[in-house]
Amino acid sequence: MGKIHILIGTGKDKGLYRMILQTLKGTVEGPWRFYDAYQAKAASFYRNELAIVCEDQGQAGVTWLDIHQPIPYRLDTKMSESVPACSIIHNQMFICTANEKEDCVVVYRKVDHRLKLEQRLKMGENAQCCQVFFLDRFLYVLCKGLDLIKIYDSDLFDLVKEIPLPKGSAPVQAVVDPDRSFLYVLGGSTNEVFVYTICSHHLYRCQQIISVLPNGCREVCDSTSICMSPNGKFLFVSTNGIDVITCFEVIDGILKQKE
């Protein structure tokens, strides 16, 4: 692999920064300022494009960049949200943001290198939608306030499926393995990972529920982030309160705590 390029968004500083992780040397280079964008809390790559959350003079929305060249070129900016979103994803046709405070997903359509506000998908009162991502032909929305994952088709954005989680689990993030056979959902309040087998016809079977906390842990904790190694062999979860990153080994889709 050699090099991994990392983008870091900042809240108070007006900047999106770039770093390089040299995996063979075990060193980090940078940071360098990559693009001026206030409240650039989330970003999404698609081919040679980058979509980022931004805020300016009390308005929030998205900025769409062409990063084919060393210096990013701004294609368009659309300010259609009252507060910055917490998650963003895009594909060939759309940019979608999950806005936790507005309880909605905002859909922007790409038209001739310009952004058009397509629609707002209301998730319901106190939905607190905190992550959005595409998988095949569908858009997944995690609603931690409803203990629910909503699945929409990515053409007309009609609701096609809901995955209910146990009450109080507060799903905050999810990842899918490289083979797209398993869905791993992080319950922020219960500090658990829910492992689902992805079956045909929108069926999801829960195969495992595993805690991320050490045995005997009594501290008040909330888990915030989950990610998977590119080869799908390891899963990582970060947890506030005890300030740890838990590493799981993935064996046939099932998790085994490693360290």
Side-chain angles (χ1 to χ4, degrees):
M1 185 173 289
K3 294 182 180 181
I4 296 178
H5 293 264
I6 303 169
L7 286 182
I8 299 177
T10 55
K12 295 181 180 180
D13 181 42
K14 188 180 180 181
L16 186 67
Y17 289 84
R18 180 173 68 93
M19 302 174 69
I20 297 178
L21 172 63
Q22 298 281 2
T23 59
L24 299 180
K25 298 178 182 179
T27 59
V28 176
E29 300 174 1
W32 307 280
R33 186 182 289 268
F34 181 75
Y35 188 78
D36 287 340
Y38 185 57
Q39 292 283 10
K41 295 181 177 179
S44 170
F45 286 98
Y46 179 75
R47 296 180 180 173
N48 291 320
E49 301 173 5
L50 179 69
I52 59 176
V53 172
C54 60
E55 183 181 23
D56 186 29
Q57 298 180 354
Q59 292 183 308
V62 301
T63 291
W64 180 25
L65 302 173
D66 183 337
I67 57 172
H68 180 69
Q69 301 298 330
I71 299 177
Y73 173 75
R74 186 178 69 88
L75 296 170
D76 198 12
T77 296
K78 196 74 172 179
M79 295 295 192
S80 301
E81 304 173 53
S82 61
V83 293
C86 57
S87 177
I88 187 171
I89 194 68
H90 71 134
N91 60 13
Q92 184 176 355
M93 296 181 60
F94 300 102
I95 297 176
C96 302
T97 65
N99 200 304
E100 183 176 348
K101 293 185 178 180
E102 293 186 348
D103 296 324
C104 71
V105 169
V106 182
V107 180
Y108 302 88
R109 180 185 289 271
K110 301 175 181 178
V111 183
D112 297 327
H113 292 166
R114 290 292 181 266
L115 295 176
K116 174 187 175 184
L117 178 61
E118 184 78 359
Q119 59 179 304
R120 297 176 188 271
L121 304 174
K122 296 298 292 183
M123 297 295 114
E125 185 177 356
N126 197 37
Q128 300 178 48
C129 42
C130 53
Q131 188 193 22
V132 60
F133 64 93
F134 287 110
L135 178 61
D136 297 326
R137 298 180 295 105
F138 303 98
L139 179 73
Y140 288 63
V141 184
L142 272 70
C143 302
K144 71 176 183 180
L146 302 178
D147 301 317
L148 196 66
I149 300 175
K150 295 191 176 189
I151 305 174
Y152 295 81
D153 74 71
S154 58
D155 294 322
L156 301 176
F157 295 97
D158 293 327
L159 183 65
V160 296
K161 177 74 176 182
E162 293 183 342
I163 305 176
L165 281 87
K167 186 176 180 180
S169 56
V172 289
Q173 282 194 1
V175 294
V176 178
D177 71 312
D179 294 331
R180 302 188 176 190
S181 300
F182 293 91
L183 174 69
Y184 301 88
V185 183
L186 177 61
S189 295
T190 57
N191 302 290
E192 295 171 320
V193 179
F194 299 82
V195 182
Y196 291 88
T197 301
I198 303 175
C199 307
S200 58
H201 307 296
H202 307 299
L203 295 177
Y204 298 82
R205 295 191 177 94
C206 187
Q207 300 289 345
Q208 182 186 25
I209 302 175
I210 185 169
S211 175
V212 305
L213 303 180
N215 291 332
C217 177
R218 297 184 180 275
E219 285 84 352
V220 177
C221 304
D222 62 290
S223 298
T224 58
S225 183
I226 185 173
C227 69
M228 178 167 278
S229 61
N231 59 12
K233 293 183 178 181
F234 298 98
L235 190 80
F236 303 90
V237 174
S238 63
T239 303
N240 292 334
I242 54 175
D243 301 329
V244 301
I245 294 176
T246 305
C247 174
F248 294 96
E249 187 176 6
V250 183
I251 305 173
D252 295 327
I254 300 302
L255 301 180
K256 179 182 179 181
Q257 190 169 131
K258 184 174 176 63
E259 59 181 311

